[in-house]
Structures are given as C-alpha cells and as structure tokens.
C-alpha cells in the first residue's frame, strides 16, 4: 500500500530565516516575502492532501525552524526526536516533541554522542536508509535501529548537506535520485543492499526531492527536464502532480520534504 500520511506538521518561518544556515552564499539573497508566499502555498497544498494538519509558530531565536523534517523521524505512532547535528539548530525539537505527544505519538530521544537530522533519514516503507553526513552519525543510526522495527541501512553522504537533498521516495519500490556526484556515490553504495528497489535518476539534483502522498505527488516547479520524467512516472502510477516553487528554501539548502513531518 502506498504511503498516505494522516497528519502533517509544519512550522512557520521567522524573520530571522534570512540568517539561517547555508552551505554557500546564494547568488541572490533570500527574499523573505517570497519565502513566506512559497511557504503559505506549501502549507495549503500539504494541508489539502492530509486529513489533519498542524501549523506551529515560528521561533525568532531559531532561524531554521521551518525545516521541521530535521527535528524528528516519525513512523506511524512512534517518533525518534533528533539531537540535531548543527549546534545553531538545537532547541527546534522541543516544541515538535511536545506537539507529537499531544498528537498521540510516542517519542524516544536520540542521545549524544548520536547526532541526527531527519533529512538524513529515508523510510521506504520496508527499510530505514540513514545517510552518514556532517549532521548525522553512526551512533544515531544504531539508536534508530533499536527504536524502530525496520532494518536500518547506512550510506556515507558527501558533497551535499543531507541524504534527502538528492533523493526521495516516489513510491514503496522506487527511489528518485537527482543527477550529481553525491547522488551517484550514494546510489552505488545502496544498489547492492537495496536490490528490490528501482533507482530512478532525474537530470536535476534538487528535483529528486518530492513528496509522495498516496495518489498525489508534490514536485518542485522550475525543473522542466526532471518534470517530464516525473510526469511519465506519475501517469503510470496514477498519481496527480502538484507543483510548488521552493526557490527561497533551496537557497537555504532545503526543498519539499524538509518543510513538514508527515505520518
Ligand atoms: C540547515 O542547514 O540545516 C538548513 N539551512 C537546511 C535544512 C534542510 N533540511 C532538510 O533538507 N531536511
């Protein structure tokens, strides 16, 4: 059965978002008004695709707090609460943990020396793939393996921020990869371990970050060559495509998956 989340949790962006962490200075600075409009559209779209959605307030002292995916890994009614890899982001998880409790989700904290960003975790429905990056380490992967009743597969992530900066699930049997050296290395490492999956490459690295929700597929606008392939896959799978502009979040190394927790 396809993954159809019942609940989405999103978090608003603060004015301090313009000072959020960035791997590289963007070519043009983040346009805060545009970021707000893009986030509003994101929240509207995601909320229209799940029965229950919760919108958390921004925290000015936490510029990256809209990237809520990193604060927890939620599978069904169980969550691992991140010990975030970046010092600047620690504290984002507190409101998320409280909210998940209120929603009836049982939470277990990842503990030091484990560090974890949810953007490094892909749950395929059968496996938990953990990217070992500058933010997420092997100790955290071991803790995830004890928390969740699914096999954990680890893969080194280099040359990109998070595992899901260059890949995401299209469905339970297909993983989308965005063309770049980082994704090639990840695919080469994962292929022998994940033989039952189709690894589908797209021409644009960031376009491989999609939200697949049952019969709906949310993709990023502005990547026409990747879109042609996604349209083809969606047609065969009977999925309806929704397009969102995420330019201001891409400047901050985010994309579609990072702005919600879906479960
Ligand atoms: C950071 O560097 O942590 C944020 N500026 C971007 C986080 C993006 N998160 C994600 O893709 N899961």
């Amino acid at each position: 059965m396809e993954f159809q989340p019942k609940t989405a949790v999103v978090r608003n962006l603060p004015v301090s978002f313009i000072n959020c962490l960035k791997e590289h200075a963007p070519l043009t600075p983040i346009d805060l008004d545009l970021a707000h409009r893009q986030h509003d559209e994101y929240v509207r779209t995601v909320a229209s695709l799940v029965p229950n959605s919760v919108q958390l307030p921004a925290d000015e002292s936490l510029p990256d707090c809209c990237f809520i995916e990193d604060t927890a890994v939620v599978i069904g009614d169980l969550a691992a609460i991140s010990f975030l890899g970046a010092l600047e982001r620690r504290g984002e998880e507190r409101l998320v943990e409280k909210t998940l409790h209120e929603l009836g989700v049982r939470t277990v904290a990842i503990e030091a020396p484990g560090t974890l960003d949810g953007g490094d975790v892909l749950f395929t429905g059968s496996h938990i793939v953990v990217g070992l990056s500058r933010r997420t380490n092997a100790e955290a992967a071991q803790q995830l393996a004890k928390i969740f009743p699914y096999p954990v597969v680890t893969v080194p992530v280099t040359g990109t921020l998070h595992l899901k900066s260059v890949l995401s699930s299209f469905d339970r049997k297909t993983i989308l990869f965005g063309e770049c050296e980082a994704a090639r290395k990840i695919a080469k490492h994962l292929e022998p371990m994940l033989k039952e999956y189709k690894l589908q490459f797209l021409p644009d690295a960031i376009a491989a970050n999609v939200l697949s929700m049952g019969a709906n597929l949310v993709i990023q606008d502005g990547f026409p060559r990747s879109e042609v392939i996604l349209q083809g896959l969606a047609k065969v799978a009977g999925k309806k495509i929704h397009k969102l502009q995420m330019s201001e979040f891409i400047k901050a190394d985010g994309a579609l998956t990072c702005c919600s927790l879906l479960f």
Side-chain angles (χ1 to χ4, degrees):
M1 247 242 301
E2 277 308 299
F3 173 60
Q4 172 55 65
K6 295 186 189 69
T7 306
V9 184
V10 296
R11 188 162 191 182
N12 292 346
L13 49 139
V15 173
S16 60
F17 178 62
I18 49 173
N19 300 321
C20 68
L21 296 177
K22 298 170 198 77
E23 292 285 277
H24 308 284
L27 290 177
T28 55
I30 291 175
D31 176 334
L32 191 61
D33 286 342
L34 182 55
H36 274 294
R37 289 201 297 278
Q38 290 179 350
H39 195 257
D40 287 349
E41 194 53 35
Y42 179 95
V43 172
R44 254 196 304 276
T45 303
V46 170
S48 74
L49 302 176
V50 291
N52 180 30
S53 60
V54 178
Q55 190 165 1
L56 300 179
D59 182 331
E60 279 303 330
S61 69
L62 297 168
D64 285 281
C65 67
C66 61
F67 296 122
I68 193 169
E69 168 182 57
D70 292 320
T71 62
V73 174
V74 192
I75 301 177
D77 57 3
L78 182 58
I81 303 297
S82 299
F83 187 55
L84 287 158
L87 285 175
E88 298 88 332
R89 297 194 58 188
R90 296 210 178 132
E92 289 179 25
E93 72 288 354
R94 281 198 288 268
L95 178 60
V96 175
E97 181 170 24
K98 180 172 170 279
T99 304
L100 290 172
H101 263 293
E102 287 165 6
L103 291 167
V105 176
R106 190 162 69 83
T107 61
V108 183
I110 296 293
E111 287 173 357
T115 62
L116 178 83
D117 278 13
D120 279 318
V121 181
L122 177 80
F123 178 55
T124 65
S126 317
H127 291 87
I128 298 175
V129 184
V130 182
L132 304 180
S133 69
R134 277 178 287 127
R135 301 283 180 88
T136 299
N137 62 20
E139 284 85 355
Q142 282 159 14
Q143 292 178 40
L144 285 176
K146 289 194 184 124
I147 295 169
F148 294 108
Y150 293 99
V152 167
V153 173
T154 60
V155 57
V157 172
T158 52
T160 190
L161 178 62
H162 287 133
L163 178 75
K164 284 190 280 184
S165 305
V166 295
L167 61 83
S168 65
S169 282
F170 173 80
D171 60 21
R172 286 186 185 265
K173 288 281 159 245
T174 313
I175 305 174
L176 301 171
F177 284 75
E179 185 54 61
C180 63
E181 203 187 325
R184 284 275 161 207
K185 281 190 191 156
I186 294 169
K188 197 167 167 210
H189 188 97
L190 288 179
E191 232 162 8
M193 288 184 277
L194 299 179
K195 286 208 172 75
E196 63 267 51
Y197 297 87
K198 176 181 172 196
L199 311 188
Q200 170 73 55
F201 268 82
L202 301 176
D204 310 283
I206 194 69
N209 184 277
V210 303
L211 291 178
S212 188
M213 302 162 76
N216 294 286
L217 183 71
V218 185
I219 69 168
Q220 294 176 67
D221 204 359
F223 300 96
R225 291 188 311 144
S226 295
E227 189 180 323
V228 171
I229 298 171
L230 289 168
Q231 294 276 11
L233 291 172
K235 194 168 177 199
V236 173
K239 284 179 186 278
K240 180 176 174 203
I241 288 202
H242 308 258
K243 286 198 269 180
L244 292 176
Q245 260 294 348
M246 296 299 283
S247 65
E248 302 317 289
F249 297 88
I250 294 172
K251 289 178 187 173
D253 308 304
L256 288 168
T257 62
C258 58
C259 292
S260 54
L261 285 170
L262 301 172
F263 52 96

